[in-house]
Amino acid sequence: MPCCEGALTPAAQAALADLRGLHPPPDPGSLRLDVLAAIGLGLLLAALILVLRGRLARRRVSVRRAALADLAASRGLDPAARLLAQARLVARLARTLGAEGADRAASLDRLLATDFFTAGPGRALTRDLYARSVSDTEAIDAGLVRLLARVRT
């Protein structure tokens, strides 16, 4: 900088002399192993997450399987306890399907396209649960098995 040499102090001239000069960018054709390793690690982690997610999804028990297992567990109970277990099963099913409200029986019948809970043996689980006589739990059981076969969640 011949034009400015007289105007700059020696400290400023020393600082300017220490500045790095122009240089070309790195060669784009060369492979950088650190970048390739980071990309490979990211892909490996993504694949691992997908595998774990698939296994967890298979482990989840479907609503139908859980309900059928509860129904099978209630078969060894006495009639009154069996009716209560079936009613609890229907209450959980109604919560899961979103059929709660003032008229749960009608909502369940509408969702499952049946009349099991309003006019059939399922009435004992929704409207006649506290009746003095114990209903036919076998008929209720058979009807619930048929209805649970329609549930797809």
Side-chain angles (χ1 to χ4, degrees):
M1 293 188 286
C3 68
C4 304
E5 285 182 12
L8 295 176
T9 64
Q13 286 178 356
L16 286 175
D18 289 340
L19 289 177
R20 188 172 148 186
L22 293 176
H23 61 281
D27 184 20
S30 65
L31 292 176
R32 292 193 49 192
L33 295 179
D34 58 340
V35 173
L36 288 177
I39 290 171
L41 183 63
L43 290 174
L44 182 68
L45 287 175
L48 182 66
I49 288 172
L50 286 175
V51 167
L52 288 176
R53 190 172 171 206
R55 285 190 181 177
L56 288 176
R58 276 187 243 126
R59 277 189 177 174
R60 278 189 224 133
V61 178
S62 70
V63 172
R64 179 178 50 202
R65 273 194 240 153
L68 287 173
D70 288 347
L71 198 57
S74 73
R75 288 195 177 114
L77 301 173
D78 64 276
R82 187 174 180 184
L83 188 66
L84 181 62
Q86 290 169 340
R88 285 182 180 158
L89 169 76
V90 168
R92 276 195 309 270
L93 183 66
R95 263 193 316 271
T96 303
L97 296 177
E100 300 225 55
D103 197 7
R104 184 172 63 194
S107 297
L108 280 170
D109 279 347
R110 186 178 60 254
L111 282 173
L112 298 173
T114 184
D115 64 348
F116 180 76
F117 295 104
T118 53
R123 184 179 175 99
L125 301 174
T126 55
R127 296 187 176 160
D128 301 335
L129 185 60
Y130 299 108
R132 291 191 180 253
S133 64
V134 176
S135 300
D136 183 16
T137 55
E138 291 298 324
I140 295 170
D141 210 28
L144 285 174
V145 168
R146 277 193 311 275
L147 288 178
L148 288 174
R150 296 182 190 174
V151 175
R152 295 289 170 215
T153 57

